[in-house]
Each structure stands twice: as structure tokens, then as C-alpha cells.
């Protein structure tokens, strides 16, 4: 005899909410001309947004006042359009989550900074870059830009500098004679795991693969890590497509999402484009800039045909 159909529970679980509509982003820094490497990563981002019937946001990551220039912002917009990029929100066309230039979003970064500070996630650090380079544990330094911080100013035990005894100010300050950067204290030994949408399972160990990282710089400027997390969350980005050189940044950023109690987006890391010698393309390689290629009469379709994308996306 067939089993009777089980009775439905009196309070069936509520159906899952529909998934949020896909929102991707292009986040160039206008510190130079965009090159083919940017174009390929951005193209994958655009294709993924289209494949998911989603939208694409253009955000100008122009926090580095010393290196960002208006002429590069203009070149970025022109070159992206020439290449065939189309975005639905951005500095040129606006949108519901603007402004779309980081230099105009300081209040959001400051609020996140205050939250991290109130939660005890960050501490002031007076070390200069030179101090850190000379004290860094060289064998584990993860890249040339940010050696692992040796913990000199970490508020732990007697040998470490302590934070100011008085109640801390509500915003970062710079006492006379000291340049204070604020660092996020990473949970040493914790494995930061995430499932990359392209590269599969990824894991990094906090304190070994990366150390306490700067979230706020002495010149009243948030770091890339903090600004990026604040903006991706505020702009409701559901998937971040970026180069594989930023895998460690993603691990750091996941710690920020957790500390700020925000849900992280998904991540899709693209292999980096290299030149004929195997070296990574960089903004200083003028010959592969979109601008020079355009001036040389290249067409975007031909350039795309030369990309060797190992995996379908
Ligand atoms: N502005 C950063 C860059 O150009 C963005 C990196 C990211 O995708 O988060 O490298």
C-alpha cells in the first residue's frame, strides 16, 4: 500500500526571498591610462552582468589625490566607451547610489571608520612605511606594496604601544609630530575561506598571508580596502569581478564585511593578462593602453579576438 501523503506542517517555512538582481561594477582608478588588462577584466564583468540580465556600475576610485588626475577620468570615460562598455550608473550618468566618484563619498567612509573604531577592530599606528619595511617578516611578505605588519603598535601586552588613554576622538586625528594610520587587527591564524566564482575554493591565513592592514590614512583618507567595501555594499553590488592580483585584498575585505556586519558579494577573479615576456600589464606600459591602441587604428573586436580566455564565463 502506498504511503499516505505526509500532512503539511501547520506553519510551513516561508519561501526563500528571490535572489537580488545582479549588480556588477567596473572600478578603475584614474591614475593613468587604462590598458588591455583592465579592458579584459572589465569585459568579463560586463559579460557576466549581461548574462545575468543585471546592471553594471562604473565607479571612479579617485581617492589617491596625488596620482589621480582629471585628464585620466576623461580618458577613462572615452576609452571605455570606445571599447564598447556600457554602464547603467556612473559618474557621467548618475544613478540611485551616487555619487560615483570616491572622492565625493567621504561621509560614508567616515561612518564605517567610526563603526570599526567603536567595535575595537582597529588601532592607531604611528609606524612609517620605512619602519614597517625594516621590521617586516620578509619571507612572508605577500607583495611589494604591503609587507606584513610586524605588530609594533598593536595594543597587546607591555611591549606594544597603547592607544591614547583618554577617550578617543570620534574621527581620526593627527597629534602633532605623529602621522597616525589606523590598522585593522586581523584574527591571527584564522583561515579566511571563500568560494571564488571562477577559481573555486580559496583560502588564506590571517597573520600569515596578510597582516594588520591600513583602513584609514594619516591624511584623512580611507584606504582602498575600506572604501571598496563601503562602496560595494552601499551600491548593492552582488558580484565583484576583479583581477587575480586582488585575491588577498578580497580576503582582507571579507574581514571588513564581517566587522561591519554586512553581507559580502560573490567574487570572480580573472587571470591577469601578461605581455610577450610574461610580465603583467601595467599602466606604465603605454603601448598597451587603450588610447594608444585606438590611435594605432586597432579595433576593439580584433583586440578581443586575441584574448585567450582559458575558461568560459
Ligand atoms: N581601483 C582598483 C583598481 O583599479 C579596483 C580594484 C577592485 O576591483 O576592487 O585596481
Amino acid at each position: 500500500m502506498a504511503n499516505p501523503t505526509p500532512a503539511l506542517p501547520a506553519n510551513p517555512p516561508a519561501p526563500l526571498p528571490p535572489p537580488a538582481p545582479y549588480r556588477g561594477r567596473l572600478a578603475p582608478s584614474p591614475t593613468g591610462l587604462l590598458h588591455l588588462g583592465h579592458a579584459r577584466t572589465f569585459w568579463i564583468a560586463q559579460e557576466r552582468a549581461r548574462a545575468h540580465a543585471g546592471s553594471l556600475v562604473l565607479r571612479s576610485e579617485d581617492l589617491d589625490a596625488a596620482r589621480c588626475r582629471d585628464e585620466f577620468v576623461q580618458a577613462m570615460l572615452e576609452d571605455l566607451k570606445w571599447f564598447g562598455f556600457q554602464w547603467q550608473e556612473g559618474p557621467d550618468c548618475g544613478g540611485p547610489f551616487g555619487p560615483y566618484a570616491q572622492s565625493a563619498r567621504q561621509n560614508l567612509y567616515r561612518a564605517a571608520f567610526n563603526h570599526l573604531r567603536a567595535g575595537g577592530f582597529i588601532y592607531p599606528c604611528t609606524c612609517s612605511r620605512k619602519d614597517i619595511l625594516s621590521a617586516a617578516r620578509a619571507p612572508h611578505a605577500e607583495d611589494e606594496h604591503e609587507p606584513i605588519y610586524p605588530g609594533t603598535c598593536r595594543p597587546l601586552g607591555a611591549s606594544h604601544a597603547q592607544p591614547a588613554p583618554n577617550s578617543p576622538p570620534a574621527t581620526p586625528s593627527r597629534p602633532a609630530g605623529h602621522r597616525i594610520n589606523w590598522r585593522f587587527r586581523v584574527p591571527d591564524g584564522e583561515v579566511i575561506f571563500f568560494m571564488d566564482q571562477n577559481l573555486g575554493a580559496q583560502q588564506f591565513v590571517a597573520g600569515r598571508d596578510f597582516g594588520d592592514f591600513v583602513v584609514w590614512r594619516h591624511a584623512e583618507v580611507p584606504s582602498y580596502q575600506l572604501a571598496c567595501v563601503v562602496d560595494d555594499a552601499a551600491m548593492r553590488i552582488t558580484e565583484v569581478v576583479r583581477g587575480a592580483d586582488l585575491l588577498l585584498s578580497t580576503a582582507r575585505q571579507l574581514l571588513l564585511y564581517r566587522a561591519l556586519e554586512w553581507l559580502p558579494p560573490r567574487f570572480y577573479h580573472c587571470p591577469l593578462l601578461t605581455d610577450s615576456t610574461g610580465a603583467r600589464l601595467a599602466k606604465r606600459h603605454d603601448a598597451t593602453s587603450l588610447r594608444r591602441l585606438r590611435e594605432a587604428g586597432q579595433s576593439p573586436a580584433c583586440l578581443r579576438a586575441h584574448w585567450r580566455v582559458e575558461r568560459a564565463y
Side-chain angles (χ1 to χ4, degrees):
M1 198 172 95
N3 288 333
T5 309
L8 281 175
N11 289 311
L16 288 173
Y22 185 102
R23 286 175 60 82
R25 58 28 161 216
L26 314 178
S29 301
T31 55
L33 294 172
L34 295 179
H35 57 66
L36 265 188
H38 297 110
R40 191 177 72 159
T41 300
F42 292 170
W43 197 257
I44 294 171
Q46 176 162 289
E47 293 288 283
R48 287 186 66 77
R50 286 184 176 166
H52 291 86
S55 43
L56 196 59
V57 173
L58 175 65
R59 180 171 77 226
S60 177
E61 299 212 324
D62 59 348
L63 284 177
D64 185 348
R67 293 170 64 226
C68 292
R69 302 220 298 259
D70 279 349
E71 69 194 78
F72 292 137
V73 176
Q74 286 316 313
M76 172 182 98
L77 294 170
E78 284 169 25
D79 294 346
L80 288 173
K81 283 179 187 159
W82 167 73
F83 202 83
F85 289 103
Q86 291 177 319
W87 49 93
Q88 288 70 54
E89 298 167 33
D92 56 334
C93 55
F97 300 101
Y100 293 90
Q102 289 192 323
S103 55
R105 299 173 64 80
Q106 191 77 356
N107 54 339
L108 289 170
Y109 309 137
R110 194 174 289 281
F113 169 87
N114 287 338
H115 184 102
L116 292 174
R117 185 172 188 177
F121 292 103
I122 58 177
Y123 60 89
C125 170
T126 53
C127 295
S128 68
R129 188 168 164 76
K130 199 169 146 224
D131 295 336
I132 296 165
L133 283 171
S134 58
R137 290 167 286 164
H140 296 297
E142 80 276 29
D143 63 39
E144 58 182 311
H145 302 298
E146 188 155 354
I148 289 183
Y149 181 62
T152 319
C153 293
R154 242 192 192 203
L156 263 185
S159 62
H160 294 266
Q162 298 297 316
N166 297 328
S167 138
T171 55
S173 59
R174 192 178 355 164
H178 287 275
R179 293 183 135 202
I180 293 187
N181 293 308
W182 288 77
R183 288 185 180 274
F184 186 92
R185 180 183 180 143
V186 304
D188 285 334
E190 184 179 327
V191 177
I192 312 301
F193 174 89
F194 63 96
M195 186 57 74
D196 187 78
Q197 302 298 303
N198 184 37
L199 303 177
Q202 301 293 313
Q203 60 180 54
F204 299 97
V205 179
R208 186 197 75 185
D209 296 325
F210 62 95
D212 294 354
F213 57 90
V214 172
V215 295
W216 199 276
R217 297 192 192 284
H218 55 83
E220 294 292 296
V221 182
S223 71
Y224 155 70
Q225 308 292 354
L226 181 63
C228 186
V229 164
V230 168
D231 288 343
D232 284 334
M235 294 178 180
R236 310 274 200 276
I237 300 303
T238 60
E239 182 177 82
V240 168
V241 176
R242 55 166 58 135
D245 55 328
L246 292 173
L247 279 163
L248 274 173
S249 284
T250 296
R252 294 182 183 102
Q253 291 176 17
L254 284 168
L255 290 174
L256 288 177
Y257 279 102
R258 187 169 77 188
L260 291 163
E261 300 173 69
W262 297 339
L263 274 183
R266 291 184 298 276
F267 293 93
Y268 183 110
H269 289 82
C270 310
L272 299 181
L273 208 56
T274 53
D275 67 14
S276 53
T277 68
R280 197 182 129 187
L281 298 191
K283 281 181 180 143
R284 60 184 176 278
H285 294 153
D286 194 52
T288 59
S289 72
L290 300 185
R291 183 130 304 210
R292 299 294 162 259
L293 293 165
R294 173 186 178 182
E295 286 165 359
Q298 299 267 4
S299 87
C302 290
L303 292 168
R304 287 197 294 274
H306 283 90
W307 289 339
R308 286 181 294 118
V309 179
E310 291 82 11
R311 297 169 66 161
Y313 53 84

